[in-house]
């Protein structure tokens, strides 16, 4: 399936550490990685940006976000809506 995604929105640029992490993560041959940052540090948007990149390059077909509670689910949902993607809730 060829997927045509909208470009990442200019209204949500990544921070310097996120850009560096994105470059590192996209270059890894591993299928998993651990990202550590303080609360509010930008882990969610980094995850969304990485998912956007992988989806747009047809490396992956779908993204499943697993979180420990309803509050976190809504944080991811709202962040995804902000960048124009929809996460099923």
């Amino acid at each position: 399936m060829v997927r045509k995604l909208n470009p990442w929105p200019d209204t949500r640029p990544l921070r310097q550490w996120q850009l560096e992490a994105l470059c590192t993560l996209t270059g890894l041959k591993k299928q998993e990685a651990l990202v550590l940052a303080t609360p509010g540090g930008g882990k969610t948007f980094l995850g969304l940006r990485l998912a956007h990149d992988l989806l747009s390059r047809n490396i992956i077909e779908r993204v499943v976000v697993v979180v420990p509670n309803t509050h976190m689910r809504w944080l991811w949902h709202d962040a995804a809506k902000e960048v124009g993607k929809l996460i099923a809730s």
Side-chain angles (χ1 to χ4, degrees):
M1 171 203 312
V2 176
R3 178 178 285 109
K4 177 73 170 126
L5 293 180
N6 292 329
W8 185 259
D10 292 337
T11 57
R12 204 38 145 137
L14 295 181
R15 299 172 185 166
Q16 184 61 38
W17 79 264
Q18 292 168 314
L19 290 170
E20 293 169 7
L22 185 63
C23 289
T24 300
L25 291 169
T26 55
L28 290 177
K29 300 291 185 215
K30 298 179 181 181
Q31 293 185 354
E32 59 188 53
L34 177 64
V35 176
L36 297 173
T38 60
K43 299 176 297 292
T44 301
F45 281 100
L46 172 62
L48 287 168
R49 181 61 180 88
L50 179 61
H52 180 273
D53 181 59
L54 296 173
L55 286 165
S56 64
R57 294 189 296 138
N58 292 312
I59 293 174
I60 60 174
E61 294 181 13
R62 68 180 56 94
V63 176
V64 176
V65 178
V66 179
V67 294
N69 56 49
T70 302
H71 176 72
M72 292 296 299
R73 179 179 68 134
W74 285 112
L75 288 176
W76 270 88
H77 179 271
D78 292 346
K81 282 178 56 178
E82 183 180 329
V83 294
K85 313 298 172 283
L86 178 63
I87 295 177
S89 50

